[in-house]
């Protein structure tokens, strides 16, 4: 169970009001089931308004931009806009600054995702034996997000991610050790389309598992490790994800659930799960 007094991730959620629409500029996408058009990296999405807000945000799914609804910058957008570049509007900034904003944004986004996981780990009482290491790594990661644009672009994010992952693996082992019963090991498993309706997956290790279009209706996922699990089109109707950890909002937004799906407190029920009911 998570300690809600420790687990404060309010600063790790996207704040579009204080961002210059960086995700709509920096990231590329290709015409597919997720995106209605092609767009190269560094070019404004045609749906981005002069106010740096999405003009079709309320109807992204209906307009063929489902991919946008399963993306979260973890607060990196406002960090880069307001701190790294001091609030300089991307459209009125020098061309070099505007270009570097697009280049720096994905780097800070990776660091903020790590901050999300580390903060959650600190909120898990079972991880107390390594809380000191977690706090030091959290502080170091936050410090990295405050580097200059040049320093961020030179940063070896993959190496830092690996260091963080060692701690997250320890956290997972500690958190799942206290769950009774045999805990299934499905790390990196290919479970695409798997029929897991009503499955007992309490304390399961589902790190990086492919669960695309799997049927987990009514499954028990309490205390499961879901970091990096691919939940695109995964059926989670009436499933119990209470105290499942390392689950992000983008993962949940990509899945299919219901009003009866039980969720951790760190995420919210996607609107499209119950729309039209």
């Amino acid at each position: 169970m998570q300690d809600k007094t420790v687990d404060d991730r309010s600063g790790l959620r996207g704040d579009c009001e204080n961002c210059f629409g960086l995700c709509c500029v920096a990231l590329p996408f290709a015409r597919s089931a997720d995106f209605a058009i092609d767009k190269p990296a560094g070019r404004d999405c045609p749906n981005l308004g002069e106010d740096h807000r999405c003009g079709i945000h309320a109807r992204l799914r209906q307009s063929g931009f489902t991919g946008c609804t399963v993306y979260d910058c973890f607060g990196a957008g406002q960090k880069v806009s307001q701190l790294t570049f001091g609030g300089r509007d991307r459209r009125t900034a020098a061309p070099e600054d505007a270009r570097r904003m697009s280049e720096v944004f994905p780097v800070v986004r990776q660091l903020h995702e790590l901050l999300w996981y580390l903060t959650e780990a600190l909120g898990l009482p079972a991880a107390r034996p390594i809380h000191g290491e977690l706090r030091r790594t959290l502080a170091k990661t936050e410090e990295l997000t405050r580097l200059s644009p040049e320093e961020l672009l030179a940063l070896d994010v993959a190496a830092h991610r690996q260091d963080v992952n060692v701690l997250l693996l320890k956290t997972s082992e500690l958190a799942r050790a206290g769950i009774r019963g045999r805990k299934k090991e499905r790390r990196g498993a290919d479970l695409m389309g798997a029929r897991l309706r009503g499955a007992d997956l309490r304390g399961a290790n589902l790190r990086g598992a492919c669960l695309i279009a799997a049927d987990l209706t009514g499954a028990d996922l309490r205390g499961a490790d879901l970091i990096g699990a691919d939940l695109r089109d995964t059926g989670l109707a009436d499933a119990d994800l209470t105290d499942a950890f390392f689950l992000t909002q983008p993962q949940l937004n990509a899945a299919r659930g219901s009003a009866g799906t039980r969720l951790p407190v760190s995420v919210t029920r996607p609107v499209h799960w119950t729309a039209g009911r």
Side-chain angles (χ1 to χ4, degrees), residues 2-3 6-15 71-76 78-79 107-124 134-135 137-143 145 160-161 164-165 167-168 171 207 224-229 244-253 263-269:
Q2 293 178 349
D3 184 343
V6 174
D7 187 2
D8 179 11
R9 285 174 277 185
S10 57
L12 299 175
R13 303 178 192 276
D15 178 5
Y71 178 81
D72 191 334
C73 75
F74 295 101
Q78 62 261 30
K79 173 72 72 65
V107 176
V108 178
R109 194 268 184 193
Q110 290 186 68
L111 294 172
H112 268 236
E113 183 179 8
L114 295 177
L115 289 174
W116 176 276
Y117 293 136
L118 288 166
T119 304
E120 179 165 0
L122 276 168
L124 296 171
L134 287 166
R135 287 193 185 93
T137 305
L138 178 70
K140 179 181 178 180
T141 306
E142 174 60 33
E143 184 179 337
T145 70
H160 183 66
R161 180 181 286 275
V164 172
N165 190 50
L167 278 178
L168 298 182
T171 298
R207 296 171 66 89
D225 181 348
L226 292 168
I227 195 168
F245 55 95
F246 298 149
L247 173 68
T248 66
Q249 195 66 46
Q251 285 174 293
L252 209 58
N253 290 349
L263 301 172
V265 296
S266 59
V267 293
T268 58
R269 193 177 310 277

Side-chain angles (χ1 to χ4, degrees), residues 23-253:
C23 64
C24 305
V25 179
L27 307 179
F29 46 77
R31 185 189 297 271
S32 62
D34 293 322
F35 296 102
I37 60 173
D38 293 318
K39 188 193 82 66
R43 181 179 298 176
D44 286 24
C45 173
N47 298 310
L48 187 64
E50 291 298 319
D51 58 354
H52 304 294
R53 304 299 296 275
C54 176
I56 60 168
H57 188 267
R59 57 182 192 282
L60 281 166
R61 286 180 172 271
Q62 302 92 310
S63 302
F65 288 87
T66 301
C68 296
T69 70
V70 299
Y71 178 81
D72 191 334
C73 75
F74 295 101
Q78 62 261 30
K79 173 72 72 65
V80 173
S81 297
Q82 302 302 329
L83 179 65
T84 312
F85 287 91
R88 295 194 296 277
D89 190 317
R90 176 181 57 82
R91 286 177 172 157
T92 58
E96 176 64 13
D97 281 346
R99 181 182 63 80
R100 287 194 301 169
M101 282 186 195
S102 292
E103 294 173 343
V104 165
F105 171 68
V107 176
V108 178
R109 194 268 184 193
Q110 290 186 68
L111 294 172
H112 268 236
E113 183 179 8
L114 295 177
L115 289 174
W116 176 276
Y117 293 136
L118 288 166
T119 304
E120 179 165 0
L122 276 168
L124 296 171
R128 281 199 181 99
I130 60 170
H131 273 188
E133 293 178 83
L134 287 166
R135 287 193 185 93
R136 287 190 291 274
T137 305
L138 178 70
K140 179 181 178 180
T141 306
E142 174 60 33
E143 184 179 337
L144 291 176
T145 70
R146 297 175 178 275
L147 293 174
S148 69
E150 294 77 14
E151 291 170 320
L152 283 164
L153 292 175
L155 183 66
D156 188 344
V157 182
H160 183 66
R161 180 181 286 275
Q162 183 56 41
D163 291 340
V164 172
N165 190 50
V166 171
L167 278 178
L168 298 182
L169 282 167
K170 290 181 182 178
T171 298
S172 177
E173 292 167 1
L174 290 168
R176 294 183 298 110
I179 298 174
R180 292 181 179 180
R182 183 180 178 185
K183 293 170 278 294
K184 295 180 173 62
E185 287 293 326
R186 296 290 188 269
R187 183 178 181 181
D190 183 358
L191 298 171
M192 181 182 290
R195 298 177 180 178
L196 297 168
R197 181 180 289 257
D200 183 357
L201 294 169
R202 285 173 294 174
N205 182 358
L206 291 165
R207 296 171 66 89
C210 176
L211 288 159
I212 297 174
D215 183 5
L216 287 165
T217 301
D220 191 343
L221 290 151
R222 286 176 292 174
D225 181 348
L226 292 168
I227 195 168
D230 193 336
L231 300 182
R232 284 178 291 171
D233 203 34
T234 304
L236 294 175
D238 300 324
D240 190 349
L241 287 88
T242 306
D243 295 327
F245 55 95
F246 298 149
L247 173 68
T248 66
Q249 195 66 46
Q251 285 174 293
L252 209 58
N253 290 349

